[in-house]
Amino acid sequence: MGALLFTPGGNMAEAYSPQDIERKWRDRWAEDRLYNVSPTSDRPKYYYLTMLPYTSGDLHIGHWYAMAPADAKARFLRMQGYNVLFPMGFDAFGLPAENAAIKRGIHPMKWTLDNVARMREQLKTMGAMFDWDREMVSCLPDYYRWTQWFFLQFYKHGLAYRDRSPVDFCPVCNTTLAREQVWGEDRHCERCGTPVVKRDLEQWLFRMTNYAEELLDFSKIEWPERVRAMQTNWIGRSEGVQFDLVIPDSNLKIPVFTTRPDTVFGMTFAVLAPEHELVDLLTINDRAAEVDQYRVQAARQSEVERLSTERERDGVFIGTYAVNPMNGERVPIFVADYVLTGYGTGAIMGVPAHDTRDFDFAQRYGLPIPVVIAPPDWDGKPLTEAYVEPGTMVNSGQFDGLSSTDAWDRIAEYMEGHGIGKRTINYRVHDWLISRQRYWGAPIPIVYCEKCGTVPVPEDQLPVLLPEDAEFLPTGESPLRYHEGFRYTTCPTCGGPAERETDTMDTFMCSSWYHMRYTSPGYDQGPIDPVEGKYWLPVDLYTGGIEHATMHLLYTRFFTKACRDMGILDFDEPMLRLYNQGIILGEDNEKMSKSRGNVVNPDDFVSSTGADSMRAYLMFIGPWDEGGPWNTRGIEGIYRFLSRVWALVVDPTPETLEPVADMARAERDLQRVMHKTIRKVTDDFEAFRFNTMLAALMEYNNYLVKAKQTALTRSPVWQEALEALVLMLAPSCPHIGEELWERMGKPYSVHQQEWPVWNEELAKDDVVTVAVQVNGRVRDRIDVDPESSEDEVQALALATPGAQRHIEGKQVVKVIYAPGRLVNIVVR
RNA sequence: GCCGAAGUGGCGGAACGGCAGACGCGGCGGUCUCAAAAACCGUUGGGGGUCAUUCCCCAUGUGGGUUCGAGUCCCACCUUCGGCACCA
């Protein structure tokens, strides 16, 4: 029971006490399986997914900020008549578990499952409508069995392959990383911040580049411009021409890619990346020592922290020349590390006059810098910096005089027509490197047999179980490599001795399909129960942070498209709509961190102000996509608001009520306020404007609190108005919503009620206040019937004292009427 | 450097091209109390004039522009925050 207070009227009133109601209702909802959903419903389905948490062990305020408003939105959709799937699970594989195992001697499985248990309990205090029957935990065999199954499908369809190449390796995490996980100018590890090094390793990759073009197409999804831009930028499509530079007196050629075929006549040198395979073949003996030294230095350079922003563009002449196929000129060939192995052909034509980098390089080595695209007001003098804008073609043979933009196409056509080169599209995106040299991940289901080669583990032998008794020595190789029982096996094809692949999969593999598993987590005939999958997929709305824009969100799109082509799915995109919430900051407006001491612990507020206040406050801070600073006073304000709603519904009406002069009018006014509020709240919910939605409920509550002092409370409209308030509050604050609904004598549960609908007629104003402006400044106001004619309103406006004061002695030039809003009188 | 977002009271933030500052926090004044807290009521952008209701001026990062009217649209700039990193 809550605290009892004496009201002025002498009645006993019960105060709002979240501690007394929140647990009660959560238990009841769980007992009644109120939020369990199934595909057998005649309501339209709606799959709302909020990004799953990593099993860090503590549900922090960021999780609340992501999930509580999401839950409110899901509940709103449910009340609007949808059959809403709103699941929750855990991203449970990954490094922290393994690091904890190494540091504290706890097994990653135990560490992870303990954390899951704790987080699940914390999540439950939120009072969200998660369907816990559909929970998935990615580190459990009945989940990763299917992660492995997907790997096999990719392998069978030629979308997974093994390749030896220089890859990014984090020396602290002791594993290779995908390109997406390497950040910043110093190329550091996304997780621990250590600069990565290059290692030459055999790794498994997925052919994401096959889908580069399709991944640029966002026409089937409603995703934020920001994410689309980031993915587009990441995929990095560029159109150009690829052609060969011929090496005289040999049958060797250097393929180069350029996006500026219009500048091809300005080439004065060629550059190979240090790792380019032709370097050895083309370097003359005299230059070999210097070239080797440069290559060694370049390789080491990536291992050293590269701090300088203005790196010198250096290189070494290899002693050989190449021929420009357009004009037959011989140009020297260099190796230089400003040309990258991983992009284009790893070799370029050097056009110093029209490329900043080539310009620097040519200056350093005294190479000629001929102008082939004249700037508009060019005086014929040498350039002092590269000119990269369009201009007029010069020194370019038959193409002289054309604009460089036209010449781009003409030269490309010429090259294609003469078999010199071909138009090519290059992408910056790489294939997805999924091998990790760590223990705590799904083992890659591959066996290497001396006789049969690379053999996929047959599907009926999945899962390839992680052995429990592995040593977690951080060696840079997978701990599985040192587990003999795991490593040595027999070949599934010939039965002879064989070795297992000991690397595990990138955890982004697990999160690429978890949304599918939620539809049927217990299903054991495949990753997805066909009936459930057909009904629920794809995800209608996905919300979460933007930090995965070029990782998870790109991988899962690729994964879906690949599954479609493999016949597993019949749609193109995993999530039709995406919305990114912002970041919640500390009270000092800084990112929350233990070292700053500004961390807010949600559990503390759940036990003091209650989960409902926590939820509503996080929604009230400001626009959800912008995030913002936490403010403890702010949540207290929300608590006061909920207490006032409580008192409004629960406290008895005053014994003496203020009389209402015109009851019909007062009822009509109340109805109007109610219907306008329903309209506003509904619109705001739909547009994720939770802050103004709650502001509207507060205003509505304030109105009702005043009205409660009057005889209006005897009207049937009053009851209707209170019910609407509770119904509209229920998605945001489900516990108090349920409690008040019950206390109003309404049938359980408020969360199974229909969302109130507004009536446009009843929401209509019968009087509007129109501002009277003179030359754009407000000088008076008039109340008019919204149906009044323009002439009437203008006449009234002109007659107001405020307008008269400013019109006097001047000439009225023009009068503008914005219906129902304002009149502007223009005078001179 | 390239791409993107944002600059509004003491604070978080509201504002279909139409009354800037909704709602909340904080502040101030009051009611209640022996007192305090809580709660409740009132008030609260800055400046000026007035005994005073009233009235006037200035205010949405800066400077221009479009418009009867601009926080909102256009141009330039400044600042902050994100993303990318020699991408040929």
Side-chain angles (χ1 to χ4, degrees), chain A residues 216-229:
Chain A
L216 288 168
D217 176 11
F218 297 94
S219 62
K220 289 175 181 152
I221 47 181
E222 213 181 313
W223 281 26
E225 173 58 35
R226 197 151 131 238
V227 175
R228 300 201 320 251

Side-chain angles (χ1 to χ4, degrees), chain A residues 647-691:
Chain A
L648 177 76
V649 176
V650 171
D651 287 1
T653 44
E655 279 177 5
T656 48
L657 294 170
E658 294 164 22
V660 173
D662 182 346
M663 195 55 158
R665 190 183 175 88
E667 285 182 331
R668 184 63 195 84
D669 286 345
L670 177 58
Q671 267 180 334
R672 180 178 310 107
V673 171
M674 174 172 84
H675 284 264
K676 282 170 96 166
T677 304
I678 296 171
R679 182 172 62 193
K680 167 84 178 147
V681 169
T682 307
D683 288 350
D684 282 353
F685 246 125
E686 273 163 8
F688 301 93
R689 288 189 298 253
F690 305 126
N691 56 332

Side-chain angles (χ1 to χ4, degrees), chain A residues 243-538:
Chain A
F243 64 97
D244 291 335
L245 301 176
V246 178
I247 313 297
D249 310 321
S250 85
N251 49 10
L252 296 173
K253 293 181 236 171
I254 305 173
V256 294
F257 172 74
T258 181
T259 55
R260 293 293 306 273
D262 51 328
T263 67
V264 68
F265 287 88
M267 169 163 65
T268 56
F269 60 98
V271 185
L272 300 175
E275 300 86 358
H276 199 284
E277 56 185 12
L278 288 177
V279 174
D280 283 333
L281 289 170
L282 292 176
T283 304
I284 61 166
N285 290 341
D286 285 2
R287 310 290 308 163
E290 206 182 326
V291 168
D292 276 351
Q293 194 195 336
Y294 183 81
R295 296 176 81 186
V296 169
Q297 182 198 317
R300 188 175 303 139
Q301 199 142 24
S302 55
E303 295 183 20
V304 174
E305 215 166 329
R306 297 187 293 184
L307 290 172
S308 71
T309 29
E310 220 15 79
R311 295 189 58 220
E312 296 255 349
R313 292 193 175 98
D314 61 359
V316 174
F317 176 47
I318 66 170
T320 338
Y321 294 82
V323 172
N324 180 345
M326 290 300 282
N327 59 9
E329 277 183 30
R330 271 163 48 105
V331 298
I333 306 170
F334 289 76
V335 280
D337 70 354
Y338 80 89
V339 173
L340 310 173
T341 325
Y343 186 78
T345 61
I348 60 153
M349 62 173 194
V351 183
H354 307 293
D355 181 281
T356 339
R357 295 150 303 178
D358 296 347
F359 187 92
D360 293 350
F361 192 82
Q363 274 206 319
R364 184 177 170 120
Y365 295 104
L367 297 159
I369 307 178
V371 175
V372 292
I373 291 169
D377 47 1
W378 188 47
D379 54 9
K381 287 187 187 148
L383 299 172
T384 52
E385 56 177 12
Y387 178 74
V388 297
E389 304 296 315
T392 308
M393 301 293 290
V394 292
N395 300 320
S396 297
Q398 63 195 95
F399 302 99
D400 280 358
L402 290 172
S403 80
S404 60
T405 348
D406 291 341
W408 200 108
D409 286 314
R410 299 282 287 273
I411 292 178
E413 280 161 25
Y414 180 91
M415 288 177 133
E416 288 194 324
H418 290 76
I420 294 170
K422 59 176 196 293
R423 287 168 190 258
T424 310
I425 293 162
N426 238 293
Y427 301 93
R428 214 185 56 154
V429 71
H430 286 45
D431 279 342
W432 175 15
L433 193 160
I434 60 135
S435 299
R436 297 291 179 272
Q437 293 70 49
R438 297 297 300 235
Y439 168 76
W440 195 234
I444 295 173
I446 289 287
V447 165
Y448 303 105
C449 169
E450 273 174 42
K451 239 195 277 174
C452 313
T454 302
V455 182
V457 174
E459 285 175 25
D460 59 12
Q461 290 176 28
L462 297 181
V464 175
L465 285 172
L466 266 182
E468 279 183 36
D469 54 345
E471 288 283 342
F472 309 115
L473 302 169
T475 60
E477 286 184 297
S478 169
L480 296 178
R481 199 166 178 76
Y482 299 99
H483 190 285
E484 298 202 346
F486 180 85
R487 182 174 169 185
Y488 299 106
T489 184
T490 51
C491 171
T493 307
C494 71
E499 281 188 36
R500 281 192 194 283
E501 167 67 57
T502 53
D503 284 351
T504 53
M505 285 186 248
D506 181 4
T507 56
F508 281 121
M509 205 39 208
C510 313
S511 55
S512 288
W513 74 281
Y514 78 105
H515 59 286
M516 304 182 202
R517 191 62 178 170
Y518 279 139
T519 65
S520 45
Y523 190 67
D524 63 1
Q525 303 300 302
I528 323 159
D529 178 329
V531 174
E532 297 264 2
K534 183 83 201 149
Y535 179 78
W536 293 111
L537 295 173

Side-chain angles (χ1 to χ4, degrees), chain A residues 16-18 21-22 24-26 29 34-35 75 79 127 611-613 615-616 641-643 645-646 649-650 697 722-753 755:
Chain A
Y16 171 49
S17 171
I21 61 168
E22 293 192 345
K24 177 183 79 178
W25 286 116
R26 283 200 296 268
W29 296 330
L34 192 69
Y35 304 123
R75 287 174 177 277
M79 288 177 82
D612 283 339
S613 291
R615 296 168 55 106
F641 161 62
L642 293 182
S643 302
V645 175
W646 177 275
V649 176
V650 171
L697 285 182
L722 288 187
E723 282 168 27
L725 174 66
V726 173
L727 288 170
M728 286 190 283
L729 185 64
S732 310
C733 302
H735 309 90
I736 192 176
E738 190 77 281
E739 180 75 17
L740 293 178
W741 190 248
E742 184 186 59
R743 282 168 186 255
M744 284 193 302
K746 308 297 287 184
Y748 176 83
S749 154
V750 72
H751 303 300
Q752 286 168 313
Q753 303 305 311
W755 185 253

